[in-house]
Amino acid sequence: MGGLWPVGDVLAYLAGGWRVRRSVRDLASGDVGVFEGATVFRPSAEDGGGLLHLERGTFTWRSVARPAERTLRFLPGPVPGTADVRFADGRFFHDLDLTRGRHVADHPCSADLYRGEFTVLDADRWRTAWRVRGPAKDLLLTTDYTRDEDPPAH
């Protein structure tokens, strides 16, 4: 499997807290930004067994640090052990199947295409890499997650 860590149930694997470090590279300009913070995946009563993903931290771009946050919903997918990822307002974002330890998903957004690669490294580490291409975007966003046994209460 080349270092991949298969996950039988993505929602069970993700539940809990994670430390997050994301690099954002603008491949056209060469600019690099960094997000550092925490993510909590907690049960969501309104999502039928799903998880609410709450991310908070600081994003530094061109030497300016600003608070940043986002919310996603991870719902049980059509196949046991998988998930449908949705934006906070319920719109579909992408599917997620980590039963082989790696998954690729596309998300068209207006004139841009987001292609995400999800890789489970072990029981306590996983990574996402989003390549964003469009008329005005040429980005690479790489996020490393490390399990946090004492997550903040979001």
Side-chain angles (χ1 to χ4, degrees):
M1 284 249 146
L4 299 179
W5 186 276
V7 171
D9 183 340
V10 68
L11 297 176
Y13 175 77
L14 294 175
W18 300 84
R19 288 185 311 270
V20 180
R21 179 167 169 65
R22 176 177 303 120
S23 71
V24 178
R25 296 182 182 278
D26 184 325
L27 300 175
S29 71
D31 289 336
V32 177
V34 174
F35 172 87
E36 292 183 311
T39 292
V40 175
F41 289 88
R42 63 180 167 101
S44 172
E46 60 213 47
D47 289 327
L51 299 172
L52 192 60
H53 164 274
L54 304 164
E55 180 178 274
R56 289 189 182 148
T58 302
F59 181 57
T60 304
W61 183 256
R62 295 182 178 157
S63 302
V64 177
R66 293 187 172 96
E69 62 182 57
R70 71 174 174 166
T71 301
L72 297 171
R73 298 181 180 284
F74 282 63
L75 308 178
V79 175
T82 67
D84 280 342
V85 181
R86 301 196 174 253
F87 293 105
D89 65 7
R91 289 176 299 126
F92 182 76
F93 186 10
H94 63 84
D95 60 334
L96 185 58
D97 178 354
L98 296 175
T99 55
R100 295 182 182 199
R102 181 179 174 274
H103 182 74
V104 175
D106 287 341
H107 174 73
C109 182
S110 190
D112 303 321
L113 177 63
Y114 288 65
R115 170 159 284 168
E117 182 176 341
F118 304 79
T119 307
V120 181
L121 304 171
D122 60 36
D124 297 317
R125 295 179 307 129
W126 61 291
R127 172 178 293 147
T128 66
W130 284 98
R131 182 70 161 90
V132 184
R133 292 183 180 168
K137 293 181 183 173
D138 192 7
L139 305 172
L140 178 61
L141 295 82
T142 304
T143 307
D144 288 303
Y145 296 85
T146 304
R147 193 171 302 279
D148 188 347
E149 297 301 328
D150 189 27
H154 279 345

